[in-house]
Amino acid sequence: MLSSVSTSFLRRARPEWPLSVSTVRALTTGKMAEVECASKENIKYFKIYRWDPEQKQKPYVATYPIDLNDCGPMVLDALIKVKNEQDPTLTFRRSCREGICGSCAMNIDGRNTLACLCTIDDGPKASKIYPLPHMYVVKDLVPDMSNFYEQYRSIEPWLQTKTSKEEGQKEWLQTKQDRAKLDGMYECILCACCSTACPSYWWNSDSYLGPAVLMQAYRWIEDSRDQMTKERLEQLDDAFKLYRCHTIMNCSRVCPKHLNPGKAIASIKKKLASSH
């Protein structure tokens, strides 16, 4: 007969185990290698946008059931599980799984976000997953980012100086106070969640630079080490590149890094107004 000491020890070690007499006996005699808790399936349905350009068919929405008891907590976990276990043709971007690379940006339940940072809603409604809105789609959840990256290239996002370094100078230095001015801008991971949430960008993406690119432009305008501030401002002083922003603030609302592109755009406008 088992002692109460053995039973209480096992309960403290794994309180979720249903310690029946037979279970305890199996554990203490070494006849059970692993004990699994019996639990009901927790099925969650995911409605995912599908489109394959190689297939001669229109885009459609496919529904996949996922047992949340056998899945990680993030939407990206569910997507990986669908691809691994149900449909290997499902296509999406992902890399770091830590909100650093920005690869898995998509529209989840009506909101632009990163799949790796978005927890699965355990409510009864099916989760709806679409690619970033108003972007050309390469396949399934993969948007074409070519225009976005070309706009980023156009602002020349690198340090530019007019003077050469002095002899023995290795780096361009700045004070801690000047460095602090870059906080809230350098953290941008260029996921495009903010730009693709902006109605102005939806209708003018060919000419309006969008929140993400404009915030990166201001990051270099505000950098005390950069010596091309005047030229950068002149480049942005355009009715479409900058002033298509109508301060809707969708950009700041959806940013998965909790940055404020709307504030950066307003700061550019303020600098241009003071320079005229």
Side-chain angles (χ1 to χ4, degrees), residues 10 15 47 82 102 113 116 144 189 202 211 234:
L10 289 169
K47 295 184 176 181
V82 169
T113 186
C116 65
D144 185 353
I189 57 177
W202 295 348
E234 289 175 351

Side-chain angles (χ1 to χ4, degrees), residues 120-156:
I120 298 173
D121 180 10
D122 57 1
K125 292 185 178 180
S127 287
K128 299 178 181 179
I129 306 176
Y130 289 81
L132 291 175
H134 292 266
M135 301 275 276
Y136 290 108
V137 175
V138 178
K139 183 181 178 183
D140 294 343
L141 301 176
V142 179
D144 185 353
M145 303 285 283
S146 301
N147 181 61
F148 179 78
Y149 290 139
E150 180 60 27
Q151 290 175 324
Y152 180 58
R153 186 204 62 79
S154 72
I155 65 169
E156 300 181 354

Side-chain angles (χ1 to χ4, degrees), residues 100-121:
I100 297 174
C101 70
S103 298
C104 63
M106 56 190 70
N107 186 278
I108 302 172
D109 291 330
R111 182 186 180 92
N112 291 354
T113 186
L114 300 178
C116 65
L117 296 184
C118 181
T119 56
I120 298 173
D121 180 10

Side-chain angles (χ1 to χ4, degrees), residues 108 166 207 252:
I108 302 172
E166 299 178 359
S207 51
S252 302

Side-chain angles (χ1 to χ4, degrees), residues 159 174-175 177-183 185-186 214-230 232-233 236 263-264 267-268 271:
L159 186 68
Q174 64 183 165
T175 65
Q177 291 74 19
D178 286 334
R179 166 59 185 80
K181 294 178 181 179
L182 307 181
D183 289 342
M185 294 185 288
Y186 79 89
L214 286 173
M215 184 169 70
Q216 288 306 297
Y218 186 62
R219 176 254 179 275
W220 292 105
I221 290 170
E222 194 69 357
D223 196 320
S224 61
R225 301 165 297 176
D226 192 272
Q227 299 174 0
M228 298 290 286
T229 302
K230 181 180 178 182
R232 291 183 187 277
L233 287 170
L236 296 177
K263 180 180 178 181
S267 298
I268 296 175
K271 279 186 176 292

Side-chain angles (χ1 to χ4, degrees), residues 196-215:
T196 54
C198 174
S200 293
Y201 191 77
W202 295 348
W203 315 129
N204 303 281
S205 59
D206 58 331
S207 51
Y208 173 49
L209 293 180
V213 173
L214 286 173
M215 184 169 70

